[in-house]
Amino acid sequence: MSLVIRNLQRVIPIRRAPLRSKIEIVRRILGVQKFDLGIICVDNKNIRHINRIYRDRNVPTDVLSFPFHEHLKAGEFPLPDFPDDYNLGDIFLGVEYIFHQCKEDEDYNDVLTVTATHGLCHLLGFTHSTEAEWLQMFQKEKAVLDELSRRTGTRLQPLTRDLFGGS
């Protein structure tokens, strides 16, 4: 099924082709390539607006995920009844926020890939509200990013590696 990447901002240049190719690999690693997925790149103003509406936080953020199948447990796959239900949901990337959070030694396009992978894990029911949930999500992200790194010759680390004092 399709992967749609929309760039709805003009603040930070986005190279959609490398992001698309890496997220297609991530989808295959996770076994969800048959599901539609939307990735929408927005600026700080728009990610802050979405964050305020849906999470009651009036600040920009890096990623917001909106699952099509809302009640999945961590790592569960959706079991669609109809062809139109082969949809994972949408990931909003706060690309301006992500760009400004990048460290000097980090490649911005790699950080976009890691952040989108984090959002994709959220669409599959993973969360990080507690240390136990974080550990489960961290392990899944690390496994996926390790395999992606092996396939692409990169060295990607999970987004939440330091959330609960992780590695």
Side-chain angles (χ1 to χ4, degrees), residues 49-73:
H49 177 74
I50 297 165
N51 204 15
R52 182 170 27 95
I53 290 171
Y54 291 98
R55 296 180 62 225
D56 202 27
R57 295 185 179 171
N58 192 23
V59 293
T61 190
D62 53 356
V63 61
L64 294 170
S65 298
F66 295 92
F68 186 85
H69 303 273
E70 293 185 18
H71 302 290
L72 291 179
K73 292 188 172 99

PDB file of all heavy atoms in Angstrom, residues 49-73:
ATOM      1  N   HIS A  49       0.203  24.104  17.122  1.00  0.00           N
ATOM      2  CA  HIS A  49      -1.258  24.171  17.036  1.00  0.00           C
ATOM      3  C   HIS A  49      -1.873  22.767  17.201  1.00  0.00           C
ATOM      4  O   HIS A  49      -2.829  22.590  17.977  1.00  0.00           O
ATOM      5  CB  HIS A  49      -1.659  24.783  15.688  1.00  0.00           C
ATOM      6  CG  HIS A  49      -3.122  24.844  15.467  1.00  0.00           C
ATOM      7  ND1 HIS A  49      -3.943  25.749  16.097  1.00  0.00           N
ATOM      8  CD2 HIS A  49      -3.934  24.087  14.670  1.00  0.00           C
ATOM      9  CE1 HIS A  49      -5.193  25.553  15.715  1.00  0.00           C
ATOM     10  NE2 HIS A  49      -5.207  24.553  14.848  1.00  0.00           N
ATOM     11  N   ILE A  50      -1.326  21.795  16.513  1.00  0.00           N
ATOM     12  CA  ILE A  50      -1.835  20.420  16.609  1.00  0.00           C
ATOM     13  C   ILE A  50      -1.610  19.873  18.021  1.00  0.00           C
ATOM     14  O   ILE A  50      -2.492  19.221  18.596  1.00  0.00           O
ATOM     15  CB  ILE A  50      -1.153  19.522  15.556  1.00  0.00           C
ATOM     16  CG1 ILE A  50      -1.496  20.016  14.150  1.00  0.00           C
ATOM     17  CG2 ILE A  50      -1.564  18.066  15.728  1.00  0.00           C
ATOM     18  CD1 ILE A  50      -0.606  19.434  13.061  1.00  0.00           C
ATOM     19  N   ASN A  51      -0.451  20.153  18.590  1.00  0.00           N
ATOM     20  CA  ASN A  51      -0.126  19.702  19.943  1.00  0.00           C
ATOM     21  C   ASN A  51      -1.092  20.311  20.964  1.00  0.00           C
ATOM     22  O   ASN A  51      -1.529  19.640  21.903  1.00  0.00           O
ATOM     23  CB  ASN A  51       1.324  20.065  20.272  1.00  0.00           C
ATOM     24  CG  ASN A  51       1.940  19.195  21.340  1.00  0.00           C
ATOM     25  OD1 ASN A  51       1.436  18.139  21.687  1.00  0.00           O
ATOM     26  ND2 ASN A  51       3.067  19.647  21.863  1.00  0.00           N
ATOM     27  N   ARG A  52      -1.426  21.576  20.778  1.00  0.00           N
ATOM     28  CA  ARG A  52      -2.356  22.252  21.693  1.00  0.00           C
ATOM     29  C   ARG A  52      -3.747  21.625  21.601  1.00  0.00           C
ATOM     30  O   ARG A  52      -4.390  21.356  22.611  1.00  0.00           O
ATOM     31  CB  ARG A  52      -2.432  23.743  21.381  1.00  0.00           C
ATOM     32  CG  ARG A  52      -3.349  24.513  22.330  1.00  0.00           C
ATOM     33  CD  ARG A  52      -3.252  26.024  22.181  1.00  0.00           C
ATOM     34  NE  ARG A  52      -2.843  26.495  20.889  1.00  0.00           N
ATOM     35  CZ  ARG A  52      -3.681  26.881  19.909  1.00  0.00           C
ATOM     36  NH1 ARG A  52      -4.967  26.880  20.099  1.00  0.00           N
ATOM     37  NH2 ARG A  52      -3.202  27.298  18.758  1.00  0.00           N
ATOM     38  N   ILE A  53      -4.206  21.371  20.393  1.00  0.00           N
ATOM     39  CA  ILE A  53      -5.549  20.817  20.206  1.00  0.00           C
ATOM     40  C   ILE A  53      -5.656  19.396  20.753  1.00  0.00           C
ATOM     41  O   ILE A  53      -6.605  19.067  21.469  1.00  0.00           O
ATOM     42  CB  ILE A  53      -5.940  20.843  18.711  1.00  0.00           C
ATOM     43  CG1 ILE A  53      -6.166  22.287  18.268  1.00  0.00           C
ATOM     44  CG2 ILE A  53      -7.183  19.999  18.442  1.00  0.00           C
ATOM     45  CD1 ILE A  53      -6.334  22.446  16.776  1.00  0.00           C
ATOM     46  N   TYR A  54      -4.695  18.545  20.433  1.00  0.00           N
ATOM     47  CA  TYR A  54      -4.823  17.122  20.754  1.00  0.00           C
ATOM     48  C   TYR A  54      -4.160  16.696  22.053  1.00  0.00           C
ATOM     49  O   TYR A  54      -4.513  15.652  22.600  1.00  0.00           O
ATOM     50  CB  TYR A  54      -4.299  16.274  19.589  1.00  0.00           C
ATOM     51  CG  TYR A  54      -5.203  16.369  18.395  1.00  0.00           C
ATOM     52  CD1 TYR A  54      -4.914  17.230  17.341  1.00  0.00           C
ATOM     53  CD2 TYR A  54      -6.374  15.621  18.330  1.00  0.00           C
ATOM     54  CE1 TYR A  54      -5.764  17.338  16.256  1.00  0.00           C
ATOM     55  CE2 TYR A  54      -7.224  15.720  17.250  1.00  0.00           C
ATOM     56  CZ  TYR A  54      -6.915  16.579  16.222  1.00  0.00           C
ATOM     57  OH  TYR A  54      -7.759  16.690  15.153  1.00  0.00           O
ATOM     58  N   ARG A  55      -3.201  17.470  22.551  1.00  0.00           N
ATOM     59  CA  ARG A  55      -2.504  17.063  23.777  1.00  0.00           C
ATOM     60  C   ARG A  55      -2.532  18.154  24.839  1.00  0.00           C
ATOM     61  O   ARG A  55      -1.928  17.997  25.888  1.00  0.00           O
ATOM     62  CB  ARG A  55      -1.052  16.678  23.452  1.00  0.00           C
ATOM     63  CG  ARG A  55      -0.989  15.447  22.543  1.00  0.00           C
ATOM     64  CD  ARG A  55       0.423  15.028  22.204  1.00  0.00           C
ATOM     65  NE  ARG A  55       1.159  14.650  23.386  1.00  0.00           N
ATOM     66  CZ  ARG A  55       2.415  15.045  23.629  1.00  0.00           C
ATOM     67  NH1 ARG A  55       3.060  15.819  22.797  1.00  0.00           N
ATOM     68  NH2 ARG A  55       3.032  14.663  24.713  1.00  0.00           N
ATOM     69  N   ASP A  56      -3.202  19.267  24.543  1.00  0.00           N
ATOM     70  CA  ASP A  56      -3.330  20.381  25.474  1.00  0.00           C
ATOM     71  C   ASP A  56      -1.961  20.914  25.913  1.00  0.00           C
ATOM     72  O   ASP A  56      -1.767  21.308  27.051  1.00  0.00           O
ATOM     73  CB  ASP A  56      -4.179  19.978  26.685  1.00  0.00           C
ATOM     74  CG  ASP A  56      -4.780  21.182  27.389  1.00  0.00           C
ATOM     75  OD1 ASP A  56      -4.992  22.216  26.720  1.00  0.00           O
ATOM     76  OD2 ASP A  56      -5.011  21.097  28.606  1.00  0.00           O
ATOM     77  N   ARG A  57      -1.008  20.886  24.965  1.00  0.00           N
ATOM     78  CA  ARG A  57       0.336  21.417  25.212  1.00  0.00           C
ATOM     79  C   ARG A  57       0.632  22.454  24.150  1.00  0.00           C
ATOM     80  O   ARG A  57       0.766  22.122  22.971  1.00  0.00           O
ATOM     81  CB  ARG A  57       1.377  20.299  25.168  1.00  0.00           C
ATOM     82  CG  ARG A  57       1.177  19.295  26.281  1.00  0.00           C
ATOM     83  CD  ARG A  57       2.265  18.278  26.293  1.00  0.00           C
ATOM     84  NE  ARG A  57       2.049  17.339  27.378  1.00  0.00           N
ATOM     85  CZ  ARG A  57       2.734  16.242  27.533  1.00  0.00           C
ATOM     86  NH1 ARG A  57       3.696  15.935  26.687  1.00  0.00           N
ATOM     87  NH2 ARG A  57       2.481  15.445  28.538  1.00  0.00           N
ATOM     88  N   ASN A  58       0.789  23.687  24.568  1.00  0.00           N
ATOM     89  CA  ASN A  58       0.967  24.794  23.628  1.00  0.00           C
ATOM     90  C   ASN A  58       2.454  25.034  23.346  1.00  0.00           C
ATOM     91  O   ASN A  58       2.970  26.127  23.540  1.00  0.00           O
ATOM     92  CB  ASN A  58       0.290  26.060  24.168  1.00  0.00           C
ATOM     93  CG  ASN A  58       0.189  27.142  23.115  1.00  0.00           C
ATOM     94  OD1 ASN A  58       0.221  26.862  21.925  1.00  0.00           O
ATOM     95  ND2 ASN A  58       0.076  28.383  23.557  1.00  0.00           N
ATOM     96  N   VAL A  59       3.129  23.978  22.903  1.00  0.00           N
ATOM     97  CA  VAL A  59       4.554  24.056  22.565  1.00  0.00           C
ATOM     98  C   VAL A  59       4.799  23.220  21.301  1.00  0.00           C
ATOM     99  O   VAL A  59       4.081  22.249  21.054  1.00  0.00           O
ATOM    100  CB  VAL A  59       5.450  23.532  23.714  1.00  0.00           C
ATOM    101  CG1 VAL A  59       5.369  24.439  24.927  1.00  0.00           C
ATOM    102  CG2 VAL A  59       5.096  22.102  24.079  1.00  0.00           C
ATOM    103  N   PRO A  60       5.811  23.595  20.530  1.00  0.00           N
ATOM    104  CA  PRO A  60       6.162  22.732  19.395  1.00  0.00           C
ATOM    105  C   PRO A  60       6.772  21.425  19.904  1.00  0.00           C
ATOM    106  O   PRO A  60       7.258  21.356  21.043  1.00  0.00           O
ATOM    107  CB  PRO A  60       7.176  23.553  18.610  1.00  0.00           C
ATOM    108  CG  PRO A  60       7.686  24.582  19.546  1.00  0.00           C
ATOM    109  CD  PRO A  60       6.646  24.777  20.612  1.00  0.00           C
ATOM    110  N   THR A  61       6.732  20.404  19.084  1.00  0.00           N
ATOM    111  CA  THR A  61       7.302  19.107  19.437  1.00  0.00           C
ATOM    112  C   THR A  61       7.860  18.460  18.178  1.00  0.00           C
ATOM    113  O   THR A  61       7.704  18.987  17.078  1.00  0.00           O
ATOM    114  CB  THR A  61       6.254  18.215  20.142  1.00  0.00           C
ATOM    115  OG1 THR A  61       6.896  17.060  20.666  1.00  0.00           O
ATOM    116  CG2 THR A  61       5.126  17.817  19.187  1.00  0.00           C
ATOM    117  N   ASP A  62       8.500  17.319  18.343  1.00  0.00           N
ATOM    118  CA  ASP A  62       9.132  16.662  17.205  1.00  0.00           C
ATOM    119  C   ASP A  62       8.181  15.789  16.402  1.00  0.00           C
ATOM    120  O   ASP A  62       8.225  15.778  15.178  1.00  0.00           O
ATOM    121  CB  ASP A  62      10.359  15.856  17.646  1.00  0.00           C
ATOM    122  CG  ASP A  62      10.063  14.881  18.769  1.00  0.00           C
ATOM    123  OD1 ASP A  62       8.926  14.847  19.282  1.00  0.00           O
ATOM    124  OD2 ASP A  62      10.988  14.145  19.157  1.00  0.00           O
ATOM    125  N   VAL A  63       7.298  15.060  17.084  1.00  0.00           N
ATOM    126  CA  VAL A  63       6.453  14.107  16.370  1.00  0.00           C
ATOM    127  C   VAL A  63       5.129  13.914  17.099  1.00  0.00           C
ATOM    128  O   VAL A  63       5.089  13.874  18.332  1.00  0.00           O
ATOM    129  CB  VAL A  63       7.181  12.745  16.179  1.00  0.00           C
ATOM    130  CG1 VAL A  63       7.541  12.109  17.514  1.00  0.00           C
ATOM    131  CG2 VAL A  63       6.387  11.784  15.322  1.00  0.00           C
ATOM    132  N   LEU A  64       4.066  13.832  16.322  1.00  0.00           N
ATOM    133  CA  LEU A  64       2.740  13.485  16.829  1.00  0.00           C
ATOM    134  C   LEU A  64       2.183  12.397  15.919  1.00  0.00           C
ATOM    135  O   LEU A  64       2.221  12.527  14.691  1.00  0.00           O
ATOM    136  CB  LEU A  64       1.800  14.699  16.834  1.00  0.00           C
ATOM    137  CG  LEU A  64       2.169  15.826  17.788  1.00  0.00           C
ATOM    138  CD1 LEU A  64       1.309  17.056  17.517  1.00  0.00           C
ATOM    139  CD2 LEU A  64       2.024  15.377  19.237  1.00  0.00           C
ATOM    140  N   SER A  65       1.686  11.340  16.525  1.00  0.00           N
ATOM    141  CA  SER A  65       1.152  10.208  15.767  1.00  0.00           C
ATOM    142  C   SER A  65      -0.338  10.081  15.999  1.00  0.00           C
ATOM    143  O   SER A  65      -0.804  10.185  17.139  1.00  0.00           O
ATOM    144  CB  SER A  65       1.850   8.912  16.203  1.00  0.00           C
ATOM    145  OG  SER A  65       3.226   8.982  15.929  1.00  0.00           O
ATOM    146  N   PHE A  66      -1.055   9.830  14.924  1.00  0.00           N
ATOM    147  CA  PHE A  66      -2.504   9.673  14.981  1.00  0.00           C
ATOM    148  C   PHE A  66      -2.865   8.330  14.358  1.00  0.00           C
ATOM    149  O   PHE A  66      -2.980   8.210  13.142  1.00  0.00           O
ATOM    150  CB  PHE A  66      -3.188  10.837  14.257  1.00  0.00           C
ATOM    151  CG  PHE A  66      -2.942  12.146  14.934  1.00  0.00           C
ATOM    152  CD1 PHE A  66      -1.870  12.945  14.560  1.00  0.00           C
ATOM    153  CD2 PHE A  66      -3.748  12.573  15.975  1.00  0.00           C
ATOM    154  CE1 PHE A  66      -1.620  14.157  15.194  1.00  0.00           C
ATOM    155  CE2 PHE A  66      -3.511  13.778  16.623  1.00  0.00           C
ATOM    156  CZ  PHE A  66      -2.447  14.563  16.228  1.00  0.00           C
ATOM    157  N   PRO A  67      -3.032   7.302  15.208  1.00  0.00           N
ATOM    158  CA  PRO A  67      -3.283   5.956  14.689  1.00  0.00           C
ATOM    159  C   PRO A  67      -4.684   5.805  14.101  1.00  0.00           C
ATOM    160  O   PRO A  67      -5.653   6.349  14.624  1.00  0.00           O
ATOM    161  CB  PRO A  67      -3.114   5.066  15.929  1.00  0.00           C
ATOM    162  CG  PRO A  67      -3.369   5.962  17.087  1.00  0.00           C
ATOM    163  CD  PRO A  67      -2.947   7.348  16.666  1.00  0.00           C
ATOM    164  N   PHE A  68      -4.776   5.070  13.018  1.00  0.00           N
ATOM    165  CA  PHE A  68      -6.062   4.716  12.433  1.00  0.00           C
ATOM    166  C   PHE A  68      -6.748   3.673  13.314  1.00  0.00           C
ATOM    167  O   PHE A  68      -7.947   3.700  13.497  1.00  0.00           O
ATOM    168  CB  PHE A  68      -5.845   4.173  11.008  1.00  0.00           C
ATOM    169  CG  PHE A  68      -7.109   3.914  10.254  1.00  0.00           C
ATOM    170  CD1 PHE A  68      -7.737   4.948   9.567  1.00  0.00           C
ATOM    171  CD2 PHE A  68      -7.668   2.648  10.213  1.00  0.00           C
ATOM    172  CE1 PHE A  68      -8.906   4.719   8.861  1.00  0.00           C
ATOM    173  CE2 PHE A  68      -8.835   2.415   9.509  1.00  0.00           C
ATOM    174  CZ  PHE A  68      -9.460   3.449   8.823  1.00  0.00           C
ATOM    175  N   HIS A  69      -5.959   2.756  13.852  1.00  0.00           N
ATOM    176  CA  HIS A  69      -6.442   1.713  14.764  1.00  0.00           C
ATOM    177  C   HIS A  69      -6.002   2.123  16.171  1.00  0.00           C
ATOM    178  O   HIS A  69      -4.867   1.885  16.565  1.00  0.00           O
ATOM    179  CB  HIS A  69      -5.871   0.349  14.377  1.00  0.00           C
ATOM    180  CG  HIS A  69      -6.195  -0.035  12.967  1.00  0.00           C
ATOM    181  ND1 HIS A  69      -7.358  -0.672  12.614  1.00  0.00           N
ATOM    182  CD2 HIS A  69      -5.512   0.164  11.815  1.00  0.00           C
ATOM    183  CE1 HIS A  69      -7.382  -0.870  11.308  1.00  0.00           C
ATOM    184  NE2 HIS A  69      -6.266  -0.365  10.799  1.00  0.00           N
ATOM    185  N   GLU A  70      -6.912   2.720  16.930  1.00  0.00           N
ATOM    186  CA  GLU A  70      -6.541   3.404  18.169  1.00  0.00           C
ATOM    187  C   GLU A  70      -6.275   2.506  19.366  1.00  0.00           C
ATOM    188  O   GLU A  70      -5.640   2.931  20.306  1.00  0.00           O
ATOM    189  CB  GLU A  70      -7.629   4.414  18.533  1.00  0.00           C
ATOM    190  CG  GLU A  70      -7.721   5.552  17.541  1.00  0.00           C
ATOM    191  CD  GLU A  70      -8.709   6.608  17.971  1.00  0.00           C
ATOM    192  OE1 GLU A  70      -9.068   6.655  19.164  1.00  0.00           O
ATOM    193  OE2 GLU A  70      -9.128   7.391  17.114  1.00  0.00           O
ATOM    194  N   HIS A  71      -6.742   1.290  19.372  1.00  0.00           N
ATOM    195  CA  HIS A  71      -6.659   0.491  20.599  1.00  0.00           C
ATOM    196  C   HIS A  71      -5.709  -0.697  20.478  1.00  0.00           C
ATOM    197  O   HIS A  71      -5.904  -1.709  21.148  1.00  0.00           O
ATOM    198  CB  HIS A  71      -8.061   0.039  21.011  1.00  0.00           C
ATOM    199  CG  HIS A  71      -8.992   1.199  21.229  1.00  0.00           C
ATOM    200  ND1 HIS A  71      -8.862   2.065  22.290  1.00  0.00           N
ATOM    201  CD2 HIS A  71     -10.028   1.665  20.489  1.00  0.00           C
ATOM    202  CE1 HIS A  71      -9.784   3.004  22.210  1.00  0.00           C
ATOM    203  NE2 HIS A  71     -10.506   2.796  21.127  1.00  0.00           N
ATOM    204  N   LEU A  72      -4.678  -0.549  19.681  1.00  0.00           N
ATOM    205  CA  LEU A  72      -3.684  -1.615  19.562  1.00  0.00           C
ATOM    206  C   LEU A  72      -2.835  -1.677  20.825  1.00  0.00           C
ATOM    207  O   LEU A  72      -2.473  -0.643  21.381  1.00  0.00           O
ATOM    208  CB  LEU A  72      -2.764  -1.373  18.369  1.00  0.00           C
ATOM    209  CG  LEU A  72      -3.349  -1.496  16.974  1.00  0.00           C
ATOM    210  CD1 LEU A  72      -2.272  -1.181  15.940  1.00  0.00           C
ATOM    211  CD2 LEU A  72      -3.909  -2.883  16.743  1.00  0.00           C
ATOM    212  N   LYS A  73      -2.497  -2.875  21.223  1.00  0.00           N
ATOM    213  CA  LYS A  73      -1.506  -3.049  22.286  1.00  0.00           C
ATOM    214  C   LYS A  73      -0.132  -3.029  21.618  1.00  0.00           C
ATOM    215  O   LYS A  73      -0.006  -3.307  20.433  1.00  0.00           O
ATOM    216  CB  LYS A  73      -1.749  -4.367  23.012  1.00  0.00           C
ATOM    217  CG  LYS A  73      -3.031  -4.356  23.811  1.00  0.00           C
ATOM    218  CD  LYS A  73      -3.148  -5.599  24.669  1.00  0.00           C
ATOM    219  CE  LYS A  73      -4.332  -5.477  25.586  1.00  0.00           C
ATOM    220  NZ  LYS A  73      -5.508  -6.164  25.105  1.00  0.00           N
TER     221      LYS A  73
END
